[in-house]
Amino acid sequence: MVPRDAKPLRCCIFHDREIIRMRTIARMGISVENIDEERTLASFAKEALERKKPTWPMLTVLYEACNACVKTHYMVTNACQGCDARPCMMNCPKDAIHVNHHAHIDEKTCINCGKCMENCPYHAIIKIPVPCEEACPVGAISKDAEGHEKIDYHKCIFCGNCMRECPFGAMMGKSQLVDVIKHIMTKEQKVVALYAPAIAAQFKAVPGQLESALKKAGFDEVLEVAIGADICADNEAREFEERMARGDKMMTTSCCPAYVRAVRRHVPALAECISETKTPMHYTAEIAKKDFPNCTTVFIGPCLAKRREGFDDETVDYVLSTLDLESLLIAKEIDVSKMPVEEKSQENNKRIPTVSGRNFARSGGVAEAVEIRLKDKSILKKAKINGLTKSGMKMLNAYGMMNSGKIPTKPDTPNLIEVMACEGGCIGGPSIIKNVKEAEAQLEKYVEAGSQTKGA
């Protein structure tokens, strides 16, 4: 893969080869931290084929790829004018800035509060971030003694922001594709693909084409997770009405496992507000296990947190990412856009999702699906948190304080809050292959094409 005469991307061709080796091991579903460097790739492949189930954790850090970025800090650029007003110095709470024709920051005294950058009229002070640490909304990533990044899995909510933001690709999800291919090849039991609506937004396809493509790739049966989304919306609407009738202040949606984990680990004051309804993935897997007893269920979506959820859900055997699916389709030379449409109808006992079920994939779609199903829509005051950034976590904490009574609620305080860990919703997940705007446009086309069959 890296010929001897190839131009190296890094310091040398041998470093490039080592990183590809590490990536290959991670794609086999094996953690690369502290591995035996003398082992061959063949031995890792054998290990992957012999394992009975995926191993914890779902993330692995490639130290060879990690740039060991310097600690986040602020730097004065040449744009500094050494102005007489000294706003950077005047607003520094630790007197860490000195000006002598040009501002200088004493890194020993600086606490990285950013006041200097905020107050510089010339925008001459910039922040040098560590991308993965900056992207993590819960502070789960920090440096080890050697300067490489490590993940605190007790804090981690598996949002996948670190994977998306690391420019060196040092944060990787451990793939379960080898496990799934093994089940497809052995043919010991039916392998059922459960594809999320967000997957439909990643490929140029109309309803029915993904089903054909997945079956050609080797899956025995295919279910669209939007049917589970419809069940989820039905249950959340019923639960919301019951909660409001008994006097609850608010309810939050439950379909995003990264959000649920964020609350349970970091905002306990909001925990009682999480809907008790299961996720669309669970309900669809439940249907698959009922329709095809003893089958192997494989959820496919752009989400890392779903892989974490799969560890705890007995109805879900494996979780593949969009990247996994794309790799499989490329290997099989399958173009989804050229596949025939597999027809769905009530007559042949195929469940057809509603428009609102398919729209779960975008931000705001879950709350809209619940609203459609309410008997009395006047009781609803909905809101959404579009992405669990650090500001999104602040909003969660504010809602938690409202629920606990530490902050008074107002007449316009929302009582149904939809929370998506990824900006844009599931179509903006960490394993997407299209940007969010493209995915949103494709999802709209997919939903519109499906609405000609059945709308809601």
Side-chain angles (χ1 to χ4, degrees):
M1 294 178 72
V2 185
R4 185 176 291 276
D5 59 350
K7 185 177 180 181
L9 293 173
R10 297 166 185 84
C11 59
C12 65
I13 201 166
F14 302 104
H15 193 183
D16 287 354
R17 287 177 177 176
E18 179 61 17
I19 288 178
I20 285 186
R21 178 175 179 270
M22 290 293 184
R23 292 199 190 286
T24 303
I25 295 169
R27 296 299 286 172
M28 292 182 195
I30 298 169
S31 296
V32 298
E33 296 93 339
N34 304 315
I35 63 169
D36 181 357
E37 295 182 4
E38 299 298 320
R39 286 182 58 182
T40 63
L41 281 176
S43 71
F44 286 112
K46 183 179 179 182
E47 178 185 330
L49 289 168
E50 289 178 349
R51 68 170 169 251
K52 301 299 181 183
K53 59 182 180 180
T55 58
W56 172 266
M58 299 85 62
L59 278 167
T60 186
V61 183
L62 282 63
Y63 283 178
E64 289 296 327
C66 180
N67 194 48
C69 305
V70 295
K71 183 181 176 182
T72 296
H73 65 285
Y74 290 85
M75 184 179 79
V76 182
T77 69
N78 290 334
C80 176
Q81 304 295 304
C83 56
D84 294 338
R86 309 281 200 268
C88 57
M89 187 172 74
M90 297 298 292
N91 287 281
C92 179
K94 294 294 181 180
D95 296 325
I97 297 182
H98 308 282
V99 182
N100 181 15
H101 303 298
H102 191 277
H104 300 275
I105 299 174
D106 183 350
E107 293 186 7
K108 294 181 180 178
T109 312
C110 177
I111 60 171
N112 288 324
C113 66
K115 294 292 184 183
C116 55
M117 184 179 73
E118 293 172 9
N119 288 280
C120 177
Y122 292 99
H123 304 289
I125 300 176
I126 60 173
K127 183 178 182 180
I128 310 295
V130 177
C132 59
E133 290 183 18
E134 192 75 10
C136 180
V138 293
I141 301 177
S142 61
K143 294 184 179 296
D144 63 15
E146 297 178 354
H148 292 106
E149 302 301 329
K150 61 179 180 179
I151 301 171
D152 183 341
Y153 289 107
H154 180 73
K155 292 181 179 179
C156 181
I157 62 173
F158 304 102
C159 61
N161 283 352
C162 57
M163 287 171 48
R164 176 170 34 216
E165 296 301 327
C166 176
F168 295 95
M171 303 288 182
M172 281 191 69
K174 287 160 55 181
S175 176
Q176 297 175 13
L177 184 56
V178 170
D179 308 74
V180 172
I181 290 173
K182 181 177 69 174
H183 281 280
I184 289 174
M185 293 179 70
T186 57
K187 300 185 181 299
E188 292 177 354
Q189 53 197 25
K190 282 193 173 186
V191 182
V192 183
L194 319 171
Y195 74 90
I199 289 294
Q202 301 299 308
F203 299 92
K204 290 183 178 180
V206 297
Q209 284 186 306
L210 269 169
E211 283 80 353
S212 297
L214 287 164
K215 286 186 177 179
K216 186 175 180 181
F219 291 95
D220 298 293
E221 301 289 345
V222 181
L223 294 177
E224 190 174 350
V225 176
I227 62 176
D230 284 326
I231 297 171
C232 178
D234 290 343
N235 291 343
E236 283 203 342
R238 188 161 45 249
E239 183 183 354
F240 176 73
E241 290 171 333
E242 292 171 356
R243 281 176 176 255
M244 294 304 104
R246 75 186 186 204
D248 285 11
K249 292 180 182 178
M250 61 184 72
M251 185 182 95
T252 70
T253 54
S254 63
C255 64
C256 176
Y259 155 67
V260 173
R261 186 175 173 88
V263 168
R264 300 205 186 283
R265 291 296 171 99
H266 303 282
V267 195
L270 198 59
E272 64 182 27
C273 298
I274 300 172
S275 168
E276 295 175 2
T277 299
K278 301 291 186 181
T279 66
M281 178 178 82
H282 172 83
Y283 288 123
T284 312
E286 208 171 45
I287 291 170
K289 293 289 187 182
K290 182 179 178 181
D291 288 358
F292 314 106
N294 301 316
C295 70
T296 297
T297 52
V298 182
F299 174 83
I300 308 172
C303 177
L304 179 70
K306 284 295 182 186
R307 191 165 285 170
R308 176 67 186 87
E309 183 188 344
F311 269 86
D312 299 327
D313 193 329
E314 292 182 356
T315 65
V316 180
D317 296 304
Y318 298 102
V319 177
L320 298 183
S321 70
T322 316
L323 295 172
D324 291 327
L325 177 59
E326 182 187 41
S327 299
L328 181 61
L329 294 177
I330 290 172
K332 291 280 189 177
E333 299 182 343
I334 298 171
D335 184 342
V336 177
S337 65
K338 295 179 180 178
M339 293 301 296
V341 174
E342 181 177 294
E343 295 295 334
K344 296 182 180 182
S345 68
Q346 299 293 2
E347 287 72 25
N348 65 10
N349 202 30
K350 295 284 187 180
R351 299 172 181 85
I352 303 174
T354 66
V355 166
S356 59
R358 284 173 171 153
N359 270 324
F360 257 55
R362 62 174 180 80
S363 178
V366 180
E368 289 173 10
V370 172
E371 182 178 15
I372 288 170
R373 291 159 170 83
L374 293 178
K375 296 173 185 175
D376 181 6
K377 294 178 176 55
S378 65
I379 66 172
L380 178 69
K381 290 177 285 186
K382 64 182 179 180
K384 67 179 181 180
I385 295 179
N386 181 20
L388 281 186
T389 57
K390 289 178 179 177
S391 61
M393 289 299 296
K394 288 180 181 179
M395 291 178 68
L396 280 189
N397 277 291
Y399 284 129
M401 287 190 281
M402 287 179 191
N403 183 60
S404 63
K406 292 181 180 179
I407 295 179
T409 56
K410 299 177 181 179
D412 61 344
T413 298
N415 55 13
L416 177 66
I417 306 161
E418 177 198 296
V419 189
M420 291 285 195
C422 299
E423 293 187 60
C426 299
I427 56 175
S431 297
I432 57 174
I433 56 177
K434 285 187 176 180
N435 67 52
V436 176
K437 288 187 177 180
E438 278 186 285
E440 191 170 16
Q442 176 56 34
L443 179 67
E444 190 175 335
K445 292 177 183 177
Y446 186 86
V447 171
E448 185 178 348
S451 68
Q452 297 172 9
T453 309
K454 179 183 177 181

